[in-house]
Amino acid sequence: MEQYLQQFADGVLYFRSIMGDIIGPNLYIFELMSLVISGVLLWGIIFTATQSNYLNKRIEEWMDYLGYGDVGKLRRLKAWKQIVKKMASPNSTDWKLGIMEADRIFDDMIRAAGYRAITTEERYKQIPPEFVANFEDIQAAHKIRNRCVQEPDFALSKEEAIKVLRVYKKSFQEFGLLD
């Protein structure tokens, strides 16, 4: 056994000496290639991080955590503007998406208030009626949201969609997310 280990060690050392003879005179080429490859990979990491808004999201989370500014409110306000844009569309699918987005924002608000059930329906059951002034309207709006999700052929009129979004808007204003 000792003989095989000695032969293996001799083989590794021989391979090392051959590779050293080949690479040694051309080491600057390998160094240059590794520098170029490292630069390209570093650029790729930076480009991907900036294009995916990953850094911006992490900075906003830390700002929220540390209490500098109200980044969460600004993010929700931006989301609300997107919902309003969807309501201007003549397409009923956009209206449904707007309702789903408003419900998601309300769900985020519930979670931020400390209601941590696994599903949205369980969180709605945990909410006391005095949590929000228009509690029954919110529950009705959530039922319409569920119909939008579960029934692909659910016909939603623009007036009904606007009515549902007014319910969400009233609750957002009550909690200071919208002015």
Side-chain angles (χ1 to χ4, degrees):
M1 179 72 165
E2 201 172 303
Q3 177 186 4
Y4 292 119
L5 288 175
Q6 185 63 38
Q7 285 177 346
F8 179 73
D10 290 340
V12 169
L13 290 174
Y14 178 71
F15 178 75
R16 180 179 168 206
S17 68
I18 290 175
M19 292 307 291
D21 292 339
I22 294 172
I23 295 175
N26 301 317
L27 189 59
Y28 67 93
I29 293 173
F30 289 106
E31 288 175 348
L32 183 63
M33 286 176 35
S34 67
L35 185 64
V36 169
I37 291 171
S38 297
V40 168
L41 292 176
L42 181 64
W43 174 83
I45 291 169
I46 293 170
F47 179 78
T48 303
T50 56
Q51 292 301 312
S52 68
N53 287 330
Y54 176 80
L55 294 176
N56 289 341
K57 289 178 184 176
R58 296 295 159 247
I59 290 170
E60 287 177 3
E61 286 175 6
W62 277 101
M63 288 176 67
D64 279 345
Y65 180 75
L66 296 173
Y68 294 112
D70 197 356
V71 179
K73 181 179 177 181
L74 295 174
R75 193 178 312 123
R76 288 183 194 97
L77 183 62
K78 189 175 183 180
W80 182 255
K81 288 180 182 179
Q82 292 297 319
I83 291 170
V84 170
K85 268 188 192 176
K86 287 178 181 168
M87 289 309 298
S89 169
N91 190 352
S92 67
T93 305
D94 290 334
W95 308 336
K96 292 177 184 180
L97 289 173
I99 290 173
M100 287 184 248
E101 181 67 20
D103 190 73
R104 186 192 61 76
I105 293 170
F106 187 77
D107 189 44
D108 289 346
M109 192 171 65
I110 293 171
R111 277 190 250 142
Y115 299 98
R116 301 275 182 187
I118 295 173
T119 64
T120 304
E121 278 69 29
E122 291 174 3
R123 281 189 288 278
Y124 271 82
K125 289 176 186 174
Q126 288 180 344
I127 301 172
E130 59 273 1
F131 179 75
V132 63
N134 59 346
F135 183 70
E136 293 83 20
D137 294 336
I138 287 288
Q139 287 183 323
H142 182 68
K143 287 179 184 175
I144 291 174
R145 177 259 179 213
N146 286 343
R147 287 190 68 191
C148 289
V149 171
Q150 296 167 355
E151 300 174 23
D153 57 344
F154 174 63
L156 180 70
S157 68
K158 188 165 187 168
E159 292 77 25
E160 189 175 12
I162 290 171
K163 181 181 171 187
V164 168
L165 288 178
R166 282 187 182 142
V167 168
Y168 284 115
K169 182 179 181 180
K170 182 177 179 185
S171 66
F172 297 157
Q173 287 172 334
E174 184 177 337
F175 282 96
L177 296 178
L178 296 176
D179 297 326

